[in-house]
Amino acid sequence: MLIDLNVCTGCSACVVACRAENNIPITGAHEAARNGTIQWLHIDRAWSGGQDDFSVESRPITCQQCDAAPCEPVCPVLATYTNSEGLCVQVYNRCVGTRYCALNCPYDQRFFNWFDYQWPTPMEVQLNPDVSRRTRGVMEKCSFCSQRVLAAERAARSEGRPLREDEVQPACVQTCPAQALLFGDLADPDSRIARAWRHPRLETLLEELGTLPRVRYVRRQDAPGAEALQPGAEDDE
Amino acid sequence: MNATSPAAAPISIAPGREAPLLRPMLVTGRAYKHMVILLTGVISWGAFCFIYQGFIGLGLTGLRRPVFWAFFITDFVFWIGISHAGTLISAILRLSSASWRYPVTRAAEAITVFALGIGGVFPIVHLGRPWLFFWLAPYPNARMIWPNFRSPLEWDFFAISTYLTGSALYLFLPMLPDLALARDRSQGWRHRLYRFLAMSWQGTQQQWHRLELAIQLMAAVVIAIAVSVHTIVSWDFSMAIVPSWHSTIFGPYFVAGAIFSGIAALILIMAILRRVYHLEDYLQPKHFNNLAKLLLTMTLLWGYFVFAESITTWYGNLPAEMPAFWSKISGHYAPLFWAMVLCNFVIPFPILAIKRLRTITGMVIASITILIGMWLERFLIVVPGAATQRFAFDNWYGYFPHWTEISISLATLAAMALLYMVFSKLFPIISIWDVVGQAPAPTGEGIAEPGPGGAP
Amino acid sequence: MIEVSLRLSWDHDLAGVVKRLEAGGVPSREVNVLSRVPLPESVFPANPSRMSLIGVIGALLGFSVAVAFLVAVTVSYGLRTGGMPLIAPLPLGVITYEMTLLASILAMLVTLFVRARLGPWRRVPEHPELDYGEVIISVTCADLAQAQRAREILAGVAAGRAA
Ligand code: SF4
Ligand code: SF4
């Protein structure tokens, strides 16, 4: 996935789409005040400049789907591993909740079900049937909407044709009004993402840790890269 | 005396030399019973909290992202540390044939087994779905997936179960002759219990040779296991990518800390035993004094490790590590950090170093502060590393424990006390054959009479 | 099984008694000298034991079983984690180490139980009268005749002691 920070307006439509698609529980204000929220995707805002040249950079952050994911080998029950498509998957049924993976994710992109969350009354009717509701005590995180990937693959297989490039879109990519997000198959050298992957102004978060993220950002033209790597103190949680 | 006591268990002892050591098993006072009731109450409350937490979810605790580990893991490391009292110390003393060890070893080995059992409960308590803890055991699930043997938590599982097996055997084998003695001197259910546990020990010379050899050999292996266990516990942290956890020094640092807190626990428990069971003749000041010297060494070693760990972090000045470092030295966790230094070094060091202060009372004070300090040390390793800002993401969260966490921790303290009390009622807490057998044999008492002959 | 026993003081010539029993036709493995604390090595020297060797063999066995088990199990359902190799010697080595030592301990335990004839299922005569500083010469006899012989020898020993 490629995220163009030049285009992102910080409207948070992707955050809402993700929440709706993936049955992300609503934890309420009390939990939000104590960092108890669950947000597979959130916008990290970096404030810079002074009174006159004020600027804010919005950076959608999600699980980086690391190739060398530090969260995976520490799980004692293999509830998280790299699947055949290179995604870091989380198997809810196998998770026992040691929370070691969450500590070992340098991006803090793993979320724990501290309670059995309930949806306020009208909202439970819009739960996505393709995504399981998680019980208390398991870990969850962005899956790159693997239910959509699987559905598209199934459809392509039943029609006996290869998967087309634009067939799969995670909810955030589909929703983004500014089209700041690009999703595709890196294994296909002709895909749009494979071509864009060589963009000269790309950056990866915490590259020095060697986690090889599969999410890259197109750096802002007006912001020096060093600053962009240091998101400010404000968080929109 | 024992016959008139209403609570006397059905053991009749000849007023032999072992009588004072068997007496704690016989005479049960009122205070003991009250204590048992009190401790059972505390433990039940803790169990209730655990079940309650299981129904509500771990959100009940003060844990939140990114502090995924805190109180329970601290307790886990603390108890596993305490467990190094016994086997490690008694094995080292045995291998170095320090003869002052005799009255100390049994008490120490019992601490190991119980502390290990209690420590092993915490990883289960802290699970998000504790009812599925057995998924960590090495067996394949319905899809033939085995646990992940590359995970440090799985190493923990193996290390702790190996250590528990080893230390339970190491407690049990040297107790065989004493169990046989208890079997010979008891009637009723106790006789049946001891007859089973004594494993038909007769005391033939063949048995003695084999037993002493086995204990000696196992001592060597158990030391190797004990060192590995706390190293592996420390690797839970140092294998992680979390700054300030990721430290190569943690292995030896944790082992040293474990022995440190283990000796403190041993001194404390020995002082209590001496007082409650009137064992002044056996647990003499010289035993305490020797242990205090060991403790003093460990105090210095611990101070050295903390210094080495801190100065390398400070001098290296890695941006990722400094928030956690400063939060300990001068920030949010500074009061706890300096309390830890006070408890682990500033108070015990003079008490243990100055001969006039090294009385049993002084040692008990030093041990208590060290136990508090070592708990704080584990807390300060676990929490600030997780709670302070890591890398570029601002995710600071101030952890504060919930009362369920505190209750469960206190309940395990009570469980330790209760297990120890029950143990000392059922088994001789001082190795009788070691202690009484070392006294010079009386001469000229040989009663020679033909054996009664055998019944078919 | 008939047990014939004699209680003696520790400083008695115990080896001599055992010799007399043997001379009287009691097989030496039926003669046991029971005591509450181990007698000094000089009285009855320990016969050589292979327990340390068995411990090492157990360790080697544990090591090989651990390696085979871990490799087989990891390969049987290979789930890649963290971009690391499936068979990673060092992480698996930690568990191998523990299993090695565990096997060594268990091997020694079994040796002890077999060689020292221990086990809760065995029934042995109990000697509550045995005290410190004393031993009991216990002879296990197969039949009444042998028991009678052993009893006579022991009575002789006792008489000699009293004289
Ligand atoms: S971002 Fe975190 S959760 Fe996602 S793969 Fe990387 S380490 Fe794992
Ligand atoms: S929807 Fe698009 S523009 Fe809006 S915050 Fe998300 S990435 Fe940025």
Side-chain angles (χ1 to χ4, degrees):
Chain A
M1 180 185 280
L2 210 62
I3 300 177
D4 192 342
L5 298 181
N6 293 287
V7 190
C8 173
T9 61
C11 68
S12 296
C14 49
V15 176
V16 177
C18 176
R19 190 168 281 278
E21 169 75 15
N22 288 304
N23 297 344
I24 295 177
I26 296 152
T27 50
H30 177 68
E31 280 296 299
R34 48 190 310 210
N35 235 3
T37 51
I38 297 184
Q39 290 192 318
W40 289 10
L41 174 61
H42 77 278
I43 312 289
D44 203 273
R45 286 183 224 282
W47 309 83
S48 58
Q51 203 89 45
D52 307 320
D53 55 344
F54 181 77
S55 131
V56 52
E57 180 189 81
S58 304
R59 181 192 296 267
I61 296 187
T62 174
C63 166
Q64 306 288 306
Q65 304 289 353
C66 313
D67 254 5
C71 60
E72 288 172 0
V74 296
C75 175
V77 290
L78 279 170
T80 180
Y81 66 99
T82 312
N83 75 357
S84 55
E85 289 173 348
L87 292 184
C88 166
V89 295
Q90 174 74 22
V91 187
Y92 307 124
N93 286 340
R94 206 150 62 217
C95 175
V96 293
T98 66
R99 309 190 288 293
Y100 201 174
C101 55
L103 280 163
N104 225 21
C105 169
Y107 307 95
D108 283 339
Q109 285 312 311
R110 287 179 158 267
F111 301 87
F112 190 66
N113 283 272
W114 298 108
F115 298 100
D116 266 331
Y117 298 105
Q118 301 302 326
W119 276 258
T121 309
M123 295 187 73
E124 80 268 17
V125 294
Q126 64 99 50
L127 287 175
N128 184 353
D130 291 337
V131 180
S132 53
R133 276 177 64 175
R134 280 77 66 183
T135 61
R136 65 183 188 278
V138 305
M139 194 57 75
E140 61 181 69
K141 69 170 193 70
C142 162
S143 64
F144 266 10
C145 289
S146 58
Q147 68 280 10
R148 293 187 172 209
V149 179
L150 288 176
E153 276 175 350
R154 256 197 311 274
R157 211 176 319 127
S158 66
E159 290 167 26
R161 60 174 172 78
L163 195 62
R164 276 199 310 276
E165 189 195 331
D166 52 352
E167 243 173 325
V168 190
Q169 281 200 325
C172 53
V173 178
Q174 183 187 28
T175 309
C176 178
Q179 303 206 336
L181 312 173
L182 177 62
F183 181 83
D185 183 8
L186 274 176
D188 173 6
D190 297 328
S191 62
R192 266 179 76 203
I193 185 103
R195 275 177 276 129
W197 206 243
R198 296 188 283 271
H199 194 286
R201 264 188 296 123
L202 287 192
E203 70 184 15
T204 45
L205 291 181
L206 302 179
E207 194 174 6
E208 69 276 16
L209 295 180
T211 53
L212 308 178
R214 276 167 186 271
V215 175
R216 291 193 178 174
Y217 295 85
V218 184
R219 209 179 300 136
R220 286 240 310 233
Q221 223 143 3
D222 58 347
E227 274 175 38
L229 273 173
Q230 299 285 334
E234 291 294 318
D235 204 328
D236 73 332
E237 282 185 359
Chain B
M1 165 190 180
N2 45 48
T4 53
S5 164
I11 296 185
S12 61
I13 31 174
R17 264 175 294 160
E18 72 275 16
L21 295 175
L22 283 175
R23 188 162 47 230
M25 298 161 64
L26 301 172
V27 185
T28 307
R30 277 167 66 120
Y32 181 93
K33 286 176 192 157
H34 292 163
M35 199 67 192
V36 168
I37 293 170
L38 179 74
L39 292 176
T40 315
V42 176
I43 295 168
S44 320
W45 174 244
F48 165 76
C49 287
F50 174 45
I51 294 167
Y52 179 53
Q53 169 191 300
F55 276 105
I56 301 290
L58 269 180
L60 203 58
T61 62
L63 301 165
R64 283 302 178 273
R65 193 173 71 103
V67 190
F68 288 100
W69 288 0
F71 226 74
F72 294 144
I73 296 296
T74 306
D75 288 337
F76 164 67
V77 182
F78 176 77
W79 281 113
I80 302 290
I82 297 291
S83 80
H84 282 58
T87 313
L88 193 51
I89 294 169
S90 89
I92 290 174
L93 294 182
R94 214 181 280 273
L95 283 189
S96 60
S97 14
S99 61
W100 60 270
R101 69 165 196 269
Y102 295 123
V104 179
T105 47
R106 177 80 43 82
E109 287 151 10
I111 295 180
T112 296
V113 176
F114 299 144
L116 207 50
I118 290 172
V121 167
F122 275 104
I124 298 172
V125 172
H126 115 120
L127 284 186
R129 301 201 281 174
W131 52 93
L132 296 177
F133 72 93
F134 55 90
W135 285 7
L136 266 72
Y139 76 101
N141 70 9
R143 294 180 156 236
M144 294 310 286
I145 302 177
W146 291 69
N148 181 9
F149 297 109
R150 290 155 286 175
S151 162
L153 297 182
E154 197 62 32
W155 304 346
D156 273 350
F157 181 89
F158 275 84
I160 290 174
S161 43
T162 302
Y163 191 32
L164 193 57
T165 315
S167 57
L169 285 175
Y170 197 66
L171 169 69
F172 175 62
L173 291 182
M175 202 155 62
L176 282 176
D178 286 352
L179 289 169
L181 176 73
R183 170 196 67 196
D184 293 346
R185 300 284 148 91
S186 61
Q187 294 101 33
W189 65 269
R190 275 186 190 255
H191 182 75
R192 283 194 295 279
L193 174 73
Y194 296 131
R195 190 175 60 203
F196 177 80
L197 288 177
M199 300 279 156
S200 79
W201 175 269
Q202 281 182 291
T204 67
Q205 299 314 303
Q206 169 92 344
Q207 285 176 332
W208 281 115
H209 291 149
R210 299 296 171 211
L211 182 72
E212 292 197 314
L213 185 62
I215 294 173
Q216 201 76 8
L217 290 174
M218 279 193 190
V221 181
V222 156
I223 289 178
I225 296 178
V227 170
S228 80
V229 166
H230 224 57
T231 307
I232 289 172
V233 168
S234 84
W235 284 350
D236 286 351
F237 303 101
S238 47
M239 292 289 165
I241 201 169
V242 180
S244 90
W245 282 10
H246 191 70
S247 164
T248 51
I249 205 176
F250 269 17
Y253 178 28
F254 272 50
V255 175
I259 302 176
F260 185 38
S261 59
I263 300 176
L266 178 59
I267 290 182
L268 185 63
I269 286 188
M270 275 171 51
I272 297 173
L273 287 176
R274 171 184 157 98
R275 187 134 183 179
V276 175
Y277 291 143
H278 309 291
L279 297 173
E280 282 84 356
D281 291 345
Y282 299 93
L283 301 172
Q284 294 160 2
K286 84 164 182 244
H287 301 120
F288 284 89
N289 202 25
N290 282 337
L291 281 176
K293 282 183 201 151
L294 269 180
L295 193 60
L296 179 63
T297 319
M298 298 315 293
T299 311
L300 292 171
L301 195 59
W302 179 86
Y304 164 69
F305 269 119
V306 171
F307 178 72
E309 164 77 1
S310 306
I311 196 169
T312 45
T313 310
W314 176 77
Y315 200 93
N317 205 16
L318 282 174
E321 297 200 341
M322 293 324 277
F325 178 76
W326 286 119
S327 80
K328 280 193 259 188
I329 300 295
S330 59
H332 191 68
Y333 297 101
L336 294 180
F337 182 83
W338 295 108
M340 167 188 87
V341 174
L342 195 72
C343 286
N344 273 355
F345 198 84
V346 179
I347 297 176
F349 183 71
I351 293 182
L352 298 171
I354 301 171
K355 202 160 184 196
R356 213 151 39 81
L357 293 180
R358 204 162 56 208
T359 57
I360 291 183
T361 324
M363 283 178 230
V364 167
I365 293 171
S367 300
I368 292 174
T369 63
I370 287 171
L371 287 174
I372 297 171
M374 283 312 289
W375 192 89
L376 287 175
E377 193 232 67
R378 271 65 202 259
F379 186 81
L380 287 171
I381 286 172
V382 178
V383 176
T388 47
Q389 181 187 3
R390 304 187 267 162
F391 306 116
F393 304 100
D394 193 50
N395 235 335
W396 191 88
Y397 168 64
Y399 168 78
F400 196 82
H402 190 253
W403 55 261
T404 48
E405 288 167 275
I406 298 173
S407 305
I408 293 174
S409 307
L410 287 180
T412 55
L413 206 63
M416 178 74 188
L418 185 65
L419 282 171
Y420 218 89
M421 285 170 71
V422 171
F423 181 82
S424 66
K425 275 294 150 209
L426 286 179
F427 305 106
I429 196 68
I430 287 184
S431 179
I432 297 178
W433 66 272
D434 261 340
V435 170
V436 181
Q438 299 309 316
T443 48
E445 278 179 25
I447 325 117
E449 59 191 38
Chain C
M1 285 296 161
I2 308 162
E3 195 212 12
V4 181
S5 63
L6 172 68
R7 194 150 61 121
L8 283 175
S9 160
W10 191 329
D11 44 15
H12 204 274
D13 174 22
L14 301 173
V17 177
V18 175
K19 275 213 195 70
R20 272 169 76 175
L21 280 167
E22 277 166 26
V26 182
S28 63
R29 67 169 184 286
E30 309 292 6
V31 181
N32 281 316
V33 181
L34 316 182
S35 60
R36 288 269 179 233
V37 290
L39 295 179
E41 286 273 306
S42 50
V43 182
F44 292 105
N47 40 6
S49 162
R50 293 207 189 81
M51 197 180 283
S52 46
L53 181 67
I54 290 175
V56 173
I57 293 174
L60 289 177
L61 211 66
F63 179 83
S64 354
V65 169
V67 170
F69 166 73
L70 291 175
V71 170
V73 154
T74 312
V75 172
S76 78
Y77 205 121
L79 292 177
R80 219 158 55 77
T81 57
M84 305 290 180
L86 259 190
I87 304 298
L90 289 179
L92 297 185
V94 176
I95 292 181
T96 312
Y97 177 84
E98 298 296 336
M99 285 176 75
T100 305
L101 294 187
L102 183 64
S104 167
I105 284 195
L106 294 181
M108 290 193 285
L109 181 76
V110 171
T111 320
L112 170 71
F113 268 55
V114 171
R115 299 293 300 177
R117 298 208 203 129
L118 294 176
W121 58 89
R122 295 178 202 269
R123 282 283 166 268
V124 291
E126 292 162 17
H127 291 283
E129 73 278 12
L130 178 59
D131 203 352
Y132 295 90
E134 297 171 4
V135 297
I136 281 184
I137 311 272
S138 153
V139 186
T140 320
C141 307
D143 51 40
L144 274 173
Q146 199 182 20
Q148 191 54 42
R149 209 160 46 238
R151 206 169 290 157
E152 274 161 19
I153 296 171
L154 287 184
V157 172
R161 171 82 192 147

